[in-house]
Amino acid sequence: MPIRKSKWFNSLFVDADGETYPSNDWYRRHEERNFDVVVLGSASAKWAFDFRDCGLKCMNWAQAPQTLVEDYRLLRNFHSILRSGGYVVITVMPFTSLNKQTGIYDAFKYLKINSQEPIEPHLYEEACRYFRNPLLFGRPAISAGIRYLLRREWPTDTPEVWADTNPMDEGQLKRDALHFVNGWKSQFGIGSFDDDLTAPNAEARHFRVGLMQTIIDFCLERDYQPVWLIPPVTACLASHFTPRFQETYIYSFLKEVQRDIPLLDYSKVAELQDKDLYFNSIFLNQRGRKMFTQRVLSDLFNLQ
């Protein structure tokens, strides 16, 4: 079926080649053990790190998107790759403390990692059904099949992701930042970033507090070192994150978790807000990732 051969279809999976996670296939091909660092998180964490040639054994398990639920399940399934005392970097973004509704696309991406652990049980069979019959995706799948046959496939990654500069001018950056802000407000039912938590978001917070406690306790019980990390964004996007917003959605959440672990907070580091380190208003480009990775690894090992 042309759909199965298309870039669109194959881009729906994480780690189809068995390199992102230390699955059974990975263990058969690699001798490395006793890793120093693993990273959990969503899209911002995925584009925040470049561990190539860093001199340490590190893996980035962040995906776009990925919730704390998937973070915990991935950690629980693959944690044995870490050495005793190894770091588990838990990336905290503005809405890590709130629930995201998991859907078929979220479940589908984990089907090829040799473990159904990250997938919500009620979605696993549905994801398998979509895998067997991609036409269930409807128009996107049909369009992808046609583009494959016509040899007009779209790239799965934009060139900007791997660039060393930001292609956006100031006007584009402002529009891009506003796009993210409006998207978050719509997704989580937020009127103003300076408002108190809505009742549904307060309820979601309660669940996320317990889940974060579980992740941290899991690490400590196995002699790993959990560390919270708040990544930077461009100054343009950061201007929307008022002190009240940060306290309501980030810092008060971490306080509620009531676990005394280190926090590496890069959200106010001016030199890391330079737009030329990003490929849009929020995600670090290749140059930014290299710079940020070196900074984080240095700060991690200075914690000792």
Side-chain angles (χ1 to χ4, degrees):
M1 181 185 293
I3 295 173
R4 290 183 172 277
K5 298 178 181 179
S6 69
K7 288 184 178 180
W8 172 84
F9 182 75
N10 287 286
S11 72
L12 298 178
F13 302 104
V14 172
D15 195 37
D17 58 359
E19 290 298 320
T20 303
Y21 304 108
S23 63
N24 291 335
D25 289 343
W26 187 94
Y27 272 109
R28 283 193 287 269
R29 292 196 302 271
H30 296 78
E31 296 182 357
E32 300 99 317
R33 301 293 186 271
N34 298 316
F35 271 59
D36 300 294
V37 180
V38 296
V39 175
L40 306 177
S42 194
S44 289
K46 176 180 179 178
W47 298 116
F49 298 96
D50 183 348
F51 291 124
R52 293 173 298 179
D53 304 319
C54 73
L56 296 168
K57 296 178 181 178
C58 308
M59 296 189 84
N60 187 353
W61 296 342
Q63 296 299 333
Q66 187 162 283
T67 70
L68 272 180
V69 173
E70 285 85 38
D71 283 339
Y72 175 48
R73 289 175 173 168
L74 289 167
L75 177 66
R76 191 170 59 188
N77 198 62
F78 297 120
H79 70 91
S80 60
I81 196 73
L82 273 167
R83 63 171 172 81
S84 177
Y87 290 99
V88 177
V89 175
I90 307 167
T91 309
V92 179
M93 282 301 293
F95 301 101
T96 298
S97 65
L98 303 183
N99 286 344
K100 173 190 176 294
Q101 185 65 42
T102 300
I104 187 63
Y105 281 93
D106 301 303
F108 203 67
K109 66 175 180 279
Y110 297 111
L111 277 182
K112 288 193 175 182
I113 68 171
N114 291 335
S115 170
Q116 72 181 70
E117 175 77 9
I119 304 176
E120 290 281 359
H122 72 279
L123 281 174
Y124 182 74
E125 289 301 324
E126 185 178 4
C128 291
R129 189 165 61 91
Y130 273 69
F131 177 75
R132 291 191 294 268
N133 183 11
L135 285 172
L136 292 172
F137 281 107
R139 181 177 294 179
I142 296 171
S143 297
I146 293 172
R147 288 195 302 271
Y148 173 80
L149 290 173
L150 297 177
R151 298 183 180 181
R152 295 178 181 176
E153 292 196 272
W154 298 332
T156 54
D157 273 336
T158 59
E160 292 83 2
V161 168
W162 307 109
D164 289 334
T165 59
N166 194 327
M168 293 187 175
D169 59 30
E170 290 297 331
Q172 291 171 320
L173 270 178
K174 289 180 180 179
R175 289 191 292 273
D176 187 68
L178 193 60
H179 170 77
F180 279 104
V181 168
N182 290 335
W184 289 323
K185 287 181 176 179
S186 174
Q187 180 178 1
F188 298 110
I190 298 170
S192 168
F193 274 0
D194 284 337
D195 289 344
D196 292 334
L197 289 176
T198 64
N201 285 339
E203 183 178 350
R205 164 74 61 88
H206 179 73
F207 171 75
R208 283 294 190 268
V209 166
L211 182 55
M212 184 66 84
Q213 290 172 335
T214 299
I215 292 172
I216 293 169
D217 292 345
F218 181 92
C219 294
L220 297 176
E221 289 164 4
R222 289 158 180 79
D223 197 29
Y224 306 138
Q225 300 187 64
V227 177
W228 284 319
L229 181 147
I230 302 176
V233 297
T234 60
C236 183
L237 181 54
S239 67
H240 292 275
F241 299 157
T242 65
R244 178 170 172 77
F245 167 82
Q246 291 177 309
E247 178 61 30
T248 300
Y249 287 92
I250 303 174
Y251 300 125
S252 66
F253 166 62
L254 300 183
K255 291 173 187 173
E256 286 183 49
V257 174
Q258 295 183 333
R259 294 295 186 271
D260 185 19
I261 67 170
L263 169 62
L264 298 178
D265 186 355
Y266 300 99
S267 63
K268 302 177 183 67
V269 180
E271 60 265 32
L272 293 176
Q273 295 182 347
D274 183 350
K275 70 177 183 65
D276 290 332
L277 299 177
Y278 298 77
F279 63 82
N280 56 11
S281 66
I282 188 172
F283 300 138
L284 289 160
N285 61 27
Q286 186 163 256
R287 182 162 69 97
R289 291 193 288 275
K290 290 179 180 178
M291 179 186 295
F292 184 62
T293 300
Q294 292 173 355
R295 171 76 176 265
V296 170
L297 291 177
S298 176
D299 291 345
L300 269 182
F301 288 93
N302 281 334
L303 291 173
Q304 298 178 351

